[in-house]
Amino acid sequence: MMVLVYSKLITPRIKYVFNHILKTRLGLEIDFTSDIDLFKKYNSFKISYNDIKLVNEFNIVPAQILFSSKIEDFEINVENWDGLPIFFNTGNKDSFFFDIFGATFFLISRYEEYLLHLKDDFGRFDPSSSLAFKNRFLNKPIVDFWIDRFKSHLIKKFTKIKFKKHYFNLSTRLEVPCTYEFKGKGLIRSVLGILRDFIKFDVYRLYTRTVVLLKLKKDPLDNYESWINTNKKAGIETSIFFLISDFSRYDRNLSFYSKSFIEKVKDVSDFCDVSLLSSYISSEDSSFLMEEKKRLHSVINKSVSSVRQHLLTLRIPKTYRNFIKLGFVNDYSLQYHDMPGFRASTSNPFLFYDLENEVETKLVLNPVCISDRVLKMYKKPILARQVIEEITRYVKQVNGQMLIVLNNSIISKESNNYQWRKMFDKYLISHGKK
């Protein structure tokens, strides 16, 4: 169903965000024009992105952000409109109250991360600097709510218009910074581990380490098969991200040359999609990223198209440019390391827009709303479950994508993590497709 869009100036920003909302999310075919006469003569669905209404079209009064090619520090005033927080209010009560396209672009382009902002010790964007946190909509996919509201207004204007249907979808990803807790770590690391257990008088850990090394018991982190089966039983898509870098301060997996490590990655890849957990050090030097991708490809003999940045050391746009340069198609790093919610205020995938170069890329960003590190801040599984359920409720309201990433340590059925694994299993069964 074709929609003609009029704008006096058609910029890369306009094409990007109009395509995302109208084409990708609403399923409409669109074309652009700056010819007023052609627009007026067009006798089907049409939208003007213009200060005044031209004819009997759906009109959006624009803010200036999409007409600019600069990165400017806008003064943004967030208001409440019929229960939804909005900004770029244009006062256009005849068609739509605010510039949904400009506001959506600001959020999904991560515009505010190009501006001066607070950073933590790892150089990560501090979520307390974000517009969503300051205005208390971080836990809501507010862009998705805007699009739903926009759709209802379009239906009132164009009664015969038809939209793509979307359905709630829950999926998981498992990140593996360390494949085994005790197995395969080599003589020196094993001896140092035993000494550390003695010094701390951690009898349970010392016992577990010993029986694992004697091959009398399975390693506590060797839980991949049970995790895959749990997701399969719930009808949920999952994949696993392995760290495959050299050993360093923040990257502490088994050696790439460890036989047990290679065998495990190969084994898992036979039953589940395997992707790359790119190392902390690779965020500083892309040559490490290239080597890690080659290593994983050599192990699984499959293309490696998806990536997640270890420790979420995501530096926009540098990190994404490195991913694009090396041919990655999907990123799963878009989340905050210490807060639940939506970093780009949407639950749905979207293409990365390189704001400095003013270009739409082919890298798909898959927003992650929550991870185990965030949930563990709530101390108890029952409290964490409440947080997950609240976000799930919002995502279901807009038929969005609920993407959760967990570390393989938290889904272990051993010791203290047993209650966490039990909670996750119940949650997946409750909200899965089966």
Side-chain angles (χ1 to χ4, degrees), residues 76-110:
I76 294 179
N77 180 33
V78 177
E79 307 172 50
N80 184 286
W81 176 52
D82 197 20
L84 293 179
I86 62 163
F87 54 98
F88 293 156
N89 175 3
T90 57
N92 182 16
K93 297 180 181 179
D94 293 334
S95 287
F96 210 61
F97 197 64
F98 74 108
D99 180 3
I100 181 177
F101 296 99
T104 296
F105 179 81
F106 180 87
L107 292 172
I108 70 173
S109 71
R110 300 310 304 130

Side-chain angles (χ1 to χ4, degrees), residues 16 20 24-25 108 173 241 305-308 320 323-324 327-334 347-353 360-368 401 403:
Y16 167 74
H20 175 70
T24 304
R25 299 310 312 154
I108 70 173
R173 299 294 182 270
F241 291 77
S305 60
S306 297
V307 62
R308 175 174 166 86
Y320 286 149
F323 291 168
I324 293 166
F328 289 104
V329 177
N330 285 285
D331 165 73
Y332 292 86
S333 313
L334 193 65
S347 68
N348 294 301
F350 59 94
L351 296 173
F352 168 60
Y353 189 90
E360 175 185 310
T361 74
K362 294 183 179 180
L363 179 66
V364 179
L365 307 187
N366 297 270
V368 177
Q401 307 294 304
L403 178 57

Side-chain angles (χ1 to χ4, degrees), residues 267-278:
D267 182 52
V268 170
S269 70
D270 288 336
F271 300 96
C272 179
D273 284 339
V274 166
S275 301
L276 181 66
L277 183 63
S278 57

Side-chain angles (χ1 to χ4, degrees), residues 330-357:
N330 285 285
D331 165 73
Y332 292 86
S333 313
L334 193 65
Q335 68 170 105
Y336 289 126
H337 67 282
D338 59 354
M339 285 189 188
F342 300 93
R343 186 163 176 167
S345 298
T346 180
S347 68
N348 294 301
F350 59 94
L351 296 173
F352 168 60
Y353 189 90
D354 188 330
L355 199 56
E356 287 181 347
N357 291 328

